[in-house]
Each structure stands twice: as structure tokens, then as C-alpha cells.
Amino acid sequence: VRAITLERIEATVREFSRGFTDDAVSLLATYAMAAVDGFFVAREIGGDSVDLAKLFELHGKLLVDAARHLSA
């Protein structure tokens, strides 16, 4: 399941970040997936005190910043 998910994230990164090297696509996609996995681990540990909506909002902003950094 994770391999398929990673492939889909890589395809999305390629679509929105044309010109990225394969290494950059892989790095950003792996980071995106690993972070989200971590959100759910945090939720298991912290329960309702972990605000998934806020984490996803922050994650989206950080992915955009990371993409900008990788394209520089």
C-alpha cells in the first residue's frame, strides 16, 4: 500500500513541479509520506490532543516551501 501511495505522491509532485530531477521528486515525496505517517503515530500517542487538521495545514505549507527550496 505504501509503495503505491509513494508512486502517486511522486506523480503529483512531477505534475506540479515540472523540471524537478528524479532525486528531488523522490526526496519530496518520501518526506511528504513519512511526515503524514508520523501524524498518525502522534495521534495514537496523544489522542484528541493532536490536531490533525492543523498538522495537515502546516504540512501543506512546508511542502510548498520545500519545493521552492529544491527548485532553487
Side-chain angles (χ1 to χ4, degrees):
V1 172
R2 281 190 169 91
I4 293 168
T5 301
L6 184 59
E7 288 174 9
R8 290 180 179 171
I9 295 170
E10 287 174 341
T12 301
V13 170
R14 279 190 182 89
E15 181 180 343
F16 291 101
S17 302
R18 296 186 187 205
F20 272 22
T21 65
D22 288 343
D23 287 344
V25 169
S26 179
L27 182 65
L28 191 60
T30 300
Y31 167 78
M33 189 173 73
V36 171
D37 273 350
F39 297 167
F40 290 104
V41 170
R43 180 68 178 238
E44 286 180 20
I45 295 168
D48 290 339
S49 68
V50 176
D51 189 333
L52 287 176
K54 285 184 181 178
L55 284 172
F56 277 104
E57 181 180 347
L58 177 61
H59 185 55
K61 291 175 183 178
L62 293 173
L63 284 172
V64 169
D65 286 345
R68 286 184 186 137
H69 175 75
L70 289 171
S71 67

